[in-house]
Amino acid sequence: MIPYQKEKIENAICFFANEHLKKAKHPLYQTFLYKYLAFLDFETLRETGRPCLGLSYKAMERGPVPMEIYGKRHELKSPCYEFREDQEKRVTIHPKGNPNLDYFSKKEIKQMERLIEIYAKSYIPAQMISDASHESISAWKKTWRKSPNGMIDYSAVFDDSLSCKKDADLTFPEESYLIYRA
Protein backbone atom coordinates (compact mmCIF):
# COMPACT_ATOMS: atom_id res chain seq x y z
CA MET A 1 0.00 0.00 0.00
CA ILE A 2 1.27 3.44 -0.89
CA PRO A 3 0.78 6.06 1.83
CA TYR A 4 -1.64 8.78 0.73
CA GLN A 5 -2.22 6.97 -2.59
CA LYS A 6 -5.47 8.78 -3.44
CA GLU A 7 -3.93 12.18 -2.70
CA LYS A 8 -0.77 11.36 -4.66
CA ILE A 9 -2.80 10.32 -7.70
CA GLU A 10 -5.00 13.42 -7.58
CA ASN A 11 -2.04 15.74 -7.17
CA ALA A 12 -0.03 13.98 -9.90
CA ILE A 13 -2.94 14.47 -12.30
CA CYS A 14 -3.23 18.11 -11.25
CA PHE A 15 0.52 18.58 -11.72
CA PHE A 16 0.52 17.09 -15.22
CA ALA A 17 -2.63 19.03 -16.22
CA ASN A 18 -1.14 22.32 -14.96
CA GLU A 19 2.35 21.90 -16.34
CA HIS A 20 1.29 20.44 -19.69
CA LEU A 21 -1.10 23.36 -20.23
CA LYS A 22 1.66 25.88 -19.41
CA LYS A 23 4.29 24.29 -21.64
CA ALA A 24 2.30 22.88 -24.55
CA LYS A 25 -0.23 25.74 -24.57
CA HIS A 26 -3.16 23.35 -24.84
CA PRO A 27 -5.05 21.15 -22.36
CA LEU A 28 -3.78 17.72 -21.39
CA TYR A 29 -5.36 14.97 -23.50
CA GLN A 30 -6.21 11.72 -21.75
CA THR A 31 -3.65 9.74 -23.77
CA PHE A 32 -0.87 12.02 -22.54
CA LEU A 33 -2.11 11.74 -18.95
CA TYR A 34 -2.15 7.94 -19.07
CA LYS A 35 1.39 7.84 -20.44
CA TYR A 36 2.70 10.40 -17.93
CA LEU A 37 1.28 8.31 -15.08
CA ALA A 38 2.64 5.06 -16.53
CA PHE A 39 6.09 6.54 -17.09
CA LEU A 40 6.08 7.86 -13.52
CA ASP A 41 5.04 4.53 -12.01
CA PHE A 42 7.24 2.23 -14.11
CA GLU A 43 10.37 4.41 -14.11
CA THR A 44 10.13 4.90 -10.35
CA LEU A 45 9.58 1.15 -9.94
CA ARG A 46 12.60 0.31 -12.08
CA GLU A 47 14.83 2.70 -10.12
CA THR A 48 13.57 2.14 -6.57
CA GLY A 49 11.56 -1.08 -6.55
CA ARG A 50 8.32 0.75 -5.72
CA PRO A 51 5.86 2.49 -8.04
CA CYS A 52 5.15 6.12 -7.24
CA LEU A 53 1.36 5.83 -7.53
CA GLY A 54 0.64 2.10 -7.62
CA LEU A 55 -2.05 2.26 -10.30
CA SER A 56 -3.23 -0.90 -12.11
CA TYR A 57 -2.35 -0.78 -15.81
CA LYS A 58 -3.80 -2.63 -18.77
CA ALA A 59 -1.57 -3.32 -21.80
CA MET A 60 -3.74 -1.66 -24.44
CA GLU A 61 -2.77 -1.09 -28.07
CA ARG A 62 -1.61 2.50 -27.52
CA GLY A 63 0.36 1.59 -24.40
CA PRO A 64 -0.27 1.19 -20.67
CA VAL A 65 -3.57 2.62 -19.40
CA PRO A 66 -4.36 3.13 -15.68
CA MET A 67 -7.67 1.37 -15.18
CA GLU A 68 -8.67 3.20 -11.98
CA ILE A 69 -8.77 6.39 -14.04
CA TYR A 70 -9.72 5.21 -17.53
CA GLY A 71 -12.75 3.25 -16.36
CA LYS A 72 -14.05 6.08 -14.16
CA ARG A 73 -12.98 9.16 -16.10
CA HIS A 74 -16.57 10.31 -16.70
CA GLU A 75 -17.49 10.12 -13.00
CA LEU A 76 -14.23 11.28 -11.41
CA LYS A 77 -14.75 14.31 -9.21
CA SER A 78 -11.75 16.01 -7.68
CA PRO A 79 -11.00 19.41 -6.20
CA CYS A 80 -7.72 19.25 -8.17
CA TYR A 81 -8.85 18.61 -11.77
CA GLU A 82 -11.75 17.76 -14.07
CA PHE A 83 -12.18 15.66 -17.19
CA ARG A 84 -14.02 17.31 -20.10
CA GLU A 85 -15.23 15.91 -23.39
CA ASP A 86 -15.44 18.15 -26.48
CA GLN A 87 -17.74 17.90 -29.52
CA GLU A 88 -15.37 15.45 -31.23
CA LYS A 89 -15.44 13.21 -28.12
CA ARG A 90 -11.81 14.06 -27.24
CA VAL A 91 -11.23 13.96 -23.50
CA THR A 92 -9.02 16.60 -21.87
CA ILE A 93 -8.02 17.14 -18.26
CA HIS A 94 -8.18 20.64 -16.78
CA PRO A 95 -6.56 21.71 -13.51
CA LYS A 96 -8.75 23.39 -10.88
CA GLY A 97 -5.85 24.74 -8.87
CA ASN A 98 -2.27 23.97 -8.01
CA PRO A 99 -1.01 20.55 -6.96
CA ASN A 100 0.23 19.89 -3.45
CA LEU A 101 3.70 18.47 -4.07
CA ASP A 102 4.23 17.67 -0.37
CA TYR A 103 2.96 14.16 -1.17
CA PHE A 104 5.98 13.48 -3.39
CA SER A 105 9.66 12.93 -2.78
CA LYS A 106 12.17 15.22 -4.44
CA LYS A 107 13.06 12.37 -6.78
CA GLU A 108 9.41 11.89 -7.80
CA ILE A 109 8.96 15.61 -8.43
CA LYS A 110 12.13 15.66 -10.53
CA GLN A 111 10.80 12.69 -12.51
CA MET A 112 7.45 14.44 -13.16
CA GLU A 113 9.25 17.61 -14.24
CA ARG A 114 11.48 15.58 -16.57
CA LEU A 115 8.45 13.99 -18.24
CA ILE A 116 6.87 17.40 -18.80
CA GLU A 117 10.15 18.71 -20.22
CA ILE A 118 10.29 15.86 -22.72
CA TYR A 119 6.66 15.51 -23.84
CA ALA A 120 4.78 18.76 -23.14
CA LYS A 121 5.31 20.42 -26.50
CA SER A 122 2.60 21.69 -28.82
CA TYR A 123 4.03 19.74 -31.76
CA ILE A 124 4.15 16.31 -30.07
CA PRO A 125 1.13 14.19 -31.07
CA ALA A 126 -0.42 11.53 -28.84
CA GLN A 127 0.94 8.81 -31.13
CA MET A 128 4.50 9.88 -30.32
CA ILE A 129 4.10 9.54 -26.54
CA SER A 130 2.29 6.22 -27.08
CA ASP A 131 5.19 4.97 -29.21
CA ALA A 132 7.63 6.12 -26.52
CA SER A 133 5.73 4.14 -23.89
CA HIS A 134 5.96 1.05 -26.12
CA GLU A 135 9.71 1.45 -26.36
CA SER A 136 10.61 2.27 -22.80
CA ILE A 137 8.10 0.40 -20.62
CA SER A 138 9.31 -3.18 -20.81
CA ALA A 139 6.42 -4.46 -18.68
CA TRP A 140 3.97 -3.25 -21.36
CA LYS A 141 5.98 -5.03 -24.09
CA LYS A 142 6.08 -8.33 -22.19
CA THR A 143 2.38 -8.20 -21.37
CA TRP A 144 1.31 -7.11 -24.87
CA ARG A 145 3.26 -9.99 -26.45
CA LYS A 146 1.69 -12.57 -24.11
CA SER A 147 -1.79 -11.11 -23.71
CA PRO A 148 -2.92 -7.96 -25.56
CA ASN A 149 -5.22 -5.97 -23.28
CA GLY A 150 -4.02 -8.01 -20.29
CA MET A 151 -3.27 -6.51 -16.91
CA ILE A 152 0.38 -5.57 -16.45
CA ASP A 153 2.13 -7.20 -13.51
CA TYR A 154 4.69 -4.84 -11.97
CA SER A 155 7.12 -7.76 -11.65
CA ALA A 156 7.44 -7.71 -15.46
CA VAL A 157 9.75 -4.71 -15.01
CA PHE A 158 12.37 -7.05 -13.63
CA ASP A 159 14.19 -10.09 -14.97
CA ASP A 160 11.94 -13.14 -15.40
CA SER A 161 14.11 -15.05 -12.94
CA LEU A 162 13.37 -12.63 -10.08
CA SER A 163 11.53 -15.22 -8.00
CA CYS A 164 14.41 -17.69 -8.38
CA LYS A 165 17.23 -15.32 -7.45
CA LYS A 166 19.16 -15.80 -4.25
CA ASP A 167 18.88 -12.94 -1.77
CA ALA A 168 22.56 -12.07 -2.24
CA ASP A 169 22.06 -11.67 -6.01
CA LEU A 170 19.11 -9.25 -5.81
CA THR A 171 19.65 -5.63 -6.81
CA PHE A 172 18.32 -2.95 -4.46
CA PRO A 173 15.26 -2.26 -6.67
CA GLU A 174 14.51 -6.00 -6.93
CA GLU A 175 14.76 -6.51 -3.18
CA SER A 176 12.68 -3.43 -2.52
CA TYR A 177 10.03 -4.61 -4.99
CA LEU A 178 9.79 -8.04 -3.34
CA ILE A 179 9.23 -6.33 0.03
CA TYR A 180 6.65 -3.96 -1.54
CA ARG A 181 4.83 -6.87 -3.19
CA ALA A 182 4.74 -8.88 0.04
Side-chain angles (χ1 to χ4, degrees):
M1 180 76 175
I2 294 171
Y4 303 104
Q5 184 180 30
K6 181 182 181 290
E7 292 83 356
K8 281 186 90 167
I9 293 167
E10 284 191 352
N11 283 284
I13 293 170
C14 184
F15 173 86
F16 287 126
N18 259 314
E19 297 304 313
H20 188 90
L21 180 61
K22 284 182 204 170
K23 243 180 142 300
K25 307 290 188 232
H26 62 75
L28 177 64
Y29 288 101
Q30 69 177 341
T31 300
F32 275 83
L33 173 65
Y34 302 154
K35 301 318 163 229
Y36 284 141
L37 297 174
F39 281 129
L40 180 61
D41 259 343
F42 287 101
E43 289 176 7
T44 304
L45 176 64
R46 190 177 62 241
E47 293 172 9
T48 68
R50 296 172 187 263
C52 176
L53 305 170
L55 291 162
S56 302
Y57 294 89
K58 187 180 257 192
M60 296 178 88
E61 185 175 357
R62 294 189 75 186
V65 176
M67 297 315 293
E68 295 91 340
I69 296 166
Y70 178 75
K72 298 177 184 172
R73 66 191 179 280
H74 299 295
E75 304 105 50
L76 281 177
K77 300 287 183 229
S78 170
C80 297
Y81 61 85
E82 66 181 344
F83 281 72
R84 295 183 194 162
E85 195 172 291
D86 66 15
Q87 292 87 346
E88 289 100 38
K89 303 288 185 202
R90 293 179 301 195
V91 177
T92 54
I93 298 88
H94 298 264
K96 288 184 176 179
N98 294 313
N100 180 349
L101 298 180
D102 291 342
Y103 291 104
F104 302 92
S105 69
K106 288 179 183 177
K107 185 175 184 71
E108 291 167 338
I109 293 168
K110 199 170 193 170
Q111 183 70 6
M112 292 189 298
E113 289 170 343
R114 187 183 74 77
L115 291 168
I116 287 294
E117 192 62 36
I118 294 169
Y119 298 109
K121 297 182 172 55
S122 60
Y123 57 85
I124 293 185
Q127 186 61 48
M128 188 178 285
I129 195 169
S130 289
D131 291 345
S133 73
H134 294 175
E135 288 302 313
S136 67
I137 300 177
S138 62
W140 176 86
K141 280 189 224 181
K142 288 177 183 177
T143 305
W144 181 256
R145 266 186 260 137
K146 288 179 186 174
S147 175
N149 294 319
M151 293 305 293
I152 301 172
D153 185 335
Y154 279 127
S155 66
V157 166
F158 303 103
D159 186 10
D160 291 337
S161 65
L162 180 62
S163 60
C164 302
K165 277 188 169 181
K166 295 177 184 171
D167 289 348
D169 296 334
L170 292 170
T171 65
F172 173 77
E174 290 170 336
E175 185 177 355
S176 182
Y177 172 71
L178 290 173
I179 293 167
Y180 164 80
R181 186 176 72 180

